[in-house]
């Protein structure tokens, strides 16, 4: 029986993956072993701490459901999601900045006509009109581009976190397709800053480590045009109290938009406004390329592994 010291053991485990047929899988596994072993050596990890980590990860998995993704949340609060984003988007060349997908890209994103109200059941939120345009790097309009949008309600919760998901179905989320000028627009309510879910293991970690769980108010966009890199991003609302301390480190200056309060009797599409409203204007510039956009969580569930 071979006996290993601390360092021989790492080399032996790295070596054990030597015959992995896929070179990329081999590289990723070998590097993972090296990093994990380094961590154990550097921290002198105790058995109790190792057990705690196993139990924490087990609970993280057990908290996941078809409409809840605790592992994405864990990745987000540890900054891993933004790091993956950073290493994959080093050169933007003028394209819109990217940020985390987040754990709430769930359910169906039903296509709606321009101007639709995507939050029709909300009676407490202040109205928001979002007008946007999709272009290439030269500012030329891109037509027929599907854009998924989603955001939290004015109570700080996403539709999938509330019992009403069962009765109203998806709300404050939809898909729009850009017109010949690359434009799309819709009505909704003004989202507010919100806490990431604190009723699971990730939230427990945030509370126990005295971090705050808040994310500044934002609207998510996933813009997916053929021949261009899928754009996963948010538009943040300027002036939010948490804009400099996002719990998932997702804010970039370019993604902060001024949202103006308006009292005009009509919204930009000519329809009447029954109360003062807010206007968010933002353009998305896409970078040529390829890649596969993620699918909403429930849609992924039905696919073969
Ligand atoms: Fe969000």
């Amino acid at each position: 029986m071979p006996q290993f010291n601390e360092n021989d053991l790492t080399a032996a485990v790295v070596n054990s993956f030597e015959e992995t047929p896929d070179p990329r899988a081999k590289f990723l596994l070998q590097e993972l072993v090296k990093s994990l072993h380094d961590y154990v050596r550097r921290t002198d990890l105790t058995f109790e701490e190792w057990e705690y980590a196993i139990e924490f990860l087990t609970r993280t998995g057990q908290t996941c459901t078809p409409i809840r993704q605790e592992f994405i949340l864990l990745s987000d609060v540890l900054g891993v999601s933004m790091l993956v984003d950073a290493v994959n988007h080093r050169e933007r060349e003028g394209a819109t900045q990217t940020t985390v997908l987040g754990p709430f890209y769930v359910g169906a994103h039903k296509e709606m006509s321009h101007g639709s109200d995507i939050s029709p059941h909300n009676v407490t939120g202040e109205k928001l009109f979002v007008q946007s345009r999709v272009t290439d790097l030269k500012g030329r309009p891109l037509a027929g581009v599907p854009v998924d949008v989603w955001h939290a309600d004015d109570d700080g919760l996403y539709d999938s976190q509330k019992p009403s998901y069962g009765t109203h179905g998806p709300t404050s989320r939809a898909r729009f397709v850009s017109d010949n000028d690359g434009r799309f627009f819709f009505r909704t309510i003004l989202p507010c800053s919100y806490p990431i879910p604190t009723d699971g293991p990730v939230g427990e970690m945030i509370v126990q480590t005295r971090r705050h769980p808040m994310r500044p108010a934002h609207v998510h966009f996933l813009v997916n045009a053929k021949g261009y890199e899928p754009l996963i991003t948010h538009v943040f609302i300027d002036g939010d109290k948490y804009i400099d301390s996002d719990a998932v480190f997702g804010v970039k200056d370019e993604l902060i938009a001024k949202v103006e309060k308006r009292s005009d009797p009509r919204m930009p599409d000519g329809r009447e406004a029954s109360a003062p409203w807010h206007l968010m204007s933002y353009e998305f510039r896409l970078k040529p390329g390829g890649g596969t956009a993620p699918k909403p969580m429930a849609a992924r569930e039905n696919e073969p592994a």
Side-chain angles (χ1 to χ4, degrees):
M1 276 297 271
Q3 296 201 5
F4 302 109
N5 66 27
E6 285 177 21
N7 293 311
D8 291 344
L9 180 64
T10 303
V13 181
V14 167
N15 225 12
S16 73
F17 287 107
E18 207 47 48
E19 301 305 319
T20 307
D22 181 330
R24 179 67 179 169
K26 173 179 151 182
F27 175 69
L28 292 176
L29 286 165
Q30 291 181 326
E31 291 302 310
L32 178 67
V33 168
K34 289 183 210 167
S35 297
L36 283 174
H37 285 215
D38 267 353
Y39 180 82
V40 173
R41 269 189 295 268
R42 275 189 287 112
T43 58
D44 287 326
L45 199 71
T46 66
F47 278 110
E48 290 76 17
E49 290 159 347
W50 175 82
E51 267 176 40
Y52 181 87
I54 296 286
E55 189 260 348
F56 178 84
L57 292 172
T58 303
R59 283 197 295 132
T60 300
Q62 287 168 341
T63 306
C64 295
T65 72
I67 54 167
R68 176 164 182 175
Q69 233 307 347
E70 194 77 356
F71 266 113
I72 291 186
L73 191 62
L74 179 60
S75 167
D76 289 354
V77 302
L78 293 179
V80 175
S81 306
M82 280 310 287
L83 197 53
V84 174
D85 175 69
V87 301
N88 282 280
H89 296 120
R90 287 192 172 113
E91 302 297 332
R92 294 306 291 152
E93 296 164 22
T96 301
Q97 290 290 343
T98 50
T99 187
V100 292
L101 178 69
F104 296 113
Y105 188 43
V106 303
H109 278 248
K110 238 180 33 196
E111 187 177 329
M112 296 176 92
S113 56
H114 293 189
S116 296
D117 184 351
I118 68 168
S119 194
H121 304 291
N122 185 297
V123 290
T124 51
E126 295 179 43
K127 287 287 175 197
L128 173 69
F129 190 93
V130 178
Q131 58 183 10
S132 184
R133 200 163 157 255
V134 184
T135 75
D136 65 9
L137 291 181
K138 293 200 166 112
R140 292 177 298 210
L142 295 177
V145 178
V147 182
D148 282 357
V149 303
W150 66 106
H151 65 77
D153 234 331
D154 61 328
D155 57 7
L157 294 169
Y158 281 80
D159 54 358
S160 58
Q161 295 177 284
K162 299 198 265 195
S164 57
Y165 194 67
T167 48
H168 297 329
T171 182
S172 299
R173 69 176 70 238
R175 171 170 294 179
F176 294 94
V177 176
S178 63
D179 67 14
N180 286 340
D181 288 326
R183 294 181 194 283
F184 67 95
F185 52 93
F186 58 94
R187 292 168 164 69
T188 185
I189 53 108
L190 195 64
C192 63
S193 44
Y194 66 84
I196 60 159
T198 51
D199 60 343
V202 175
E204 276 170 32
M205 179 182 75
I206 293 295
V207 171
Q208 285 170 7
T209 55
R210 307 292 187 267
R211 284 174 56 177
H212 79 66
M214 299 302 292
R215 298 214 63 209
H218 57 269
V219 179
H220 292 256
F221 293 88
L222 195 163
V223 188
N224 189 19
K226 274 203 184 75
Y228 294 83
E229 283 185 2
L231 174 67
I232 298 168
T233 197
H234 310 355
V235 176
F236 293 92
I237 297 175
D238 192 24
D240 191 283
K241 184 178 166 190
Y242 298 101
I243 207 86
D244 295 322
S245 64
D246 183 1
V248 307
F249 312 95
V251 180
K252 293 178 180 174
D253 288 347
E254 260 186 48
L255 298 177
I256 302 172
K258 287 214 182 316
V259 172
E260 303 160 27
K261 188 153 192 177
R262 298 289 184 95
S263 49
D264 320 22
R266 292 184 187 278
M267 290 190 179
D269 62 354
R271 283 200 249 158
E272 269 182 37
S274 54
W277 50 283
H278 301 259
L279 177 64
M280 174 187 276
S281 305
Y282 201 88
E283 289 202 0
F284 299 101
R285 283 186 177 226
L286 301 191
K287 187 178 169 186
T292 309
K295 292 192 173 142
M297 214 180 299
R300 270 179 267 168
E301 244 222 331
N302 302 324
E303 290 178 349

